[in-house]
Amino acid sequence: TQLLEQSPQFLSIQEGENLTVYCNSSSVFSSLQWYRQEPGEGPVLLVTVVTGGEVKKLKRLTFQFGDARKDSSLHITAAQTGDTGLYLCAGGHGNEKLTFGTGTRLTIIP
Amino acid sequence: DTAVSQTPKYLVTQMGNDKSIKCEQNLGHDTMYWYKQDSKKFLKIMFSYNNKELIINETVPNRFSPKSPDKAHLNLHINSLELGDSAVYFCASSRRQGTGSGNTIYFGEGSWLTVV
């Protein structure tokens, strides 16, 4: 069973601070996705990374795929209250199913 | 217009009952999914259909039966509901099978099932 462990499980920080969320696995994935889920809604895709070592930026969010394609990180700069939500990583293998991580619940305090 | 819509959004029912959740996507996608999210927010795939054909069937009790009358619809019927079935069920769709770049999965808003 492929398992994606996210850390921390819960994170609560002040607005304006920086943070990093980690997604780790012992398995190699061909692609790694990050989703954000807000209360009462479904997950929404933020980014897909496919190459080991790849870095993608989405405004204040920076995503990195590990060189060995087993792990990933999400860094948020100058967090805003709108960043509050559940962040899920998900690993994929070609035509196989997507395996979701254990989730990080982020709360940004105004 | 909602891309992936599922009904009902909330469902409270007694143990032993049979219930259905309906899902429709208007994105013209070929692949549809059912996911279950438990109380710890862990999201796990249950079923995947591609062009009405069952592709993925995870270890799900036989009480759960998906039905895809056409590629825009994927309904989930649950027989003999148990307390442990309480969860949020998400329908989703994507243009094609696979998890690569460019094949975004779009999720519905979820159906909150509570079995009492």
Side-chain angles (χ1 to χ4, degrees):
Chain A
T1 302
Q2 300 164 340
L3 191 62
L4 278 163
E5 295 274 359
Q6 288 184 238
S7 60
Q9 188 179 355
F10 298 93
L11 183 57
S12 187
I13 64 169
Q14 293 288 137
E15 197 170 20
E17 292 185 357
N18 302 331
L19 67 108
T20 302
V21 175
Y22 299 93
C23 172
N24 294 298
S25 175
S26 57
S27 302
V28 176
F29 292 98
S30 57
S31 65
L32 200 294
Q33 299 181 337
W34 283 93
Y35 292 79
R36 179 168 65 217
Q37 183 179 8
E38 298 190 18
E41 297 182 11
V44 175
L45 180 67
L46 296 173
V47 78
T48 302
V49 285
V50 297
T51 306
E54 182 177 0
V55 176
K56 276 193 176 177
K57 290 195 173 186
L58 192 68
K59 296 183 181 176
R60 294 175 295 102
L61 277 61
T62 302
F63 305 85
Q64 183 161 12
F65 201 8
D67 290 340
R69 289 185 287 126
K70 292 182 180 181
D71 54 81
S72 181
S73 64
L74 157 60
H75 182 78
I76 301 180
T77 305
Q80 299 176 358
T81 54
D83 296 328
T84 292
L86 175 69
Y87 287 81
L88 297 165
C89 66
H93 280 293
N95 277 343
E96 295 178 15
K97 65 179 187 273
L98 208 57
T99 300
F100 278 86
T102 49
T104 294
R105 291 198 223 190
L106 175 64
T107 304
I108 307 301
I109 304 164
Chain B
D1 284 344
T2 305
V4 181
S5 57
Q6 51 185 113
T7 56
K9 187 169 176 72
Y10 300 101
L11 182 56
V12 181
T13 188
Q14 288 190 321
M15 276 175 57
N17 283 350
D18 303 338
K19 292 293 177 186
S20 291
I21 307 172
K22 295 186 176 182
C23 178
E24 175 182 7
Q25 54 94 4
N26 62 6
L27 297 166
H29 287 167
D30 285 345
T31 306
M32 294 187 73
Y33 313 82
W34 276 109
Y35 282 85
K36 178 180 179 181
Q37 189 170 48
D38 61 24
S39 57
K40 294 184 178 178
K41 303 298 183 183
F42 187 61
L43 193 62
K44 190 173 180 187
I45 192 166
M46 300 172 69
F47 302 102
S48 168
Y49 272 71
N50 189 65
N51 256 321
K52 302 193 300 176
E53 181 185 342
L54 180 65
I55 300 299
I56 293 173
N57 183 352
E58 284 295 283
T59 310
V60 177
N62 290 338
R63 299 182 294 103
F64 290 79
S65 52
K67 281 204 171 85
S68 183
D70 54 64
K71 73 174 192 178
H73 295 83
L74 180 61
N75 304 323
L76 182 65
H77 188 76
I78 316 170
N79 288 327
S80 304
L81 278 155
E82 300 177 357
L83 294 177
D85 296 332
S86 295
V88 185
Y89 292 85
F90 285 98
C91 178
S93 75
S94 62
R95 192 181 308 157
R96 59 182 188 279
Q97 292 180 71
T99 56
S101 183
N103 192 34
T104 302
I105 296 179
Y106 294 86
F107 286 84
E109 291 188 337
S111 293
W112 298 67
L113 172 66
T114 303
V115 182
V116 297

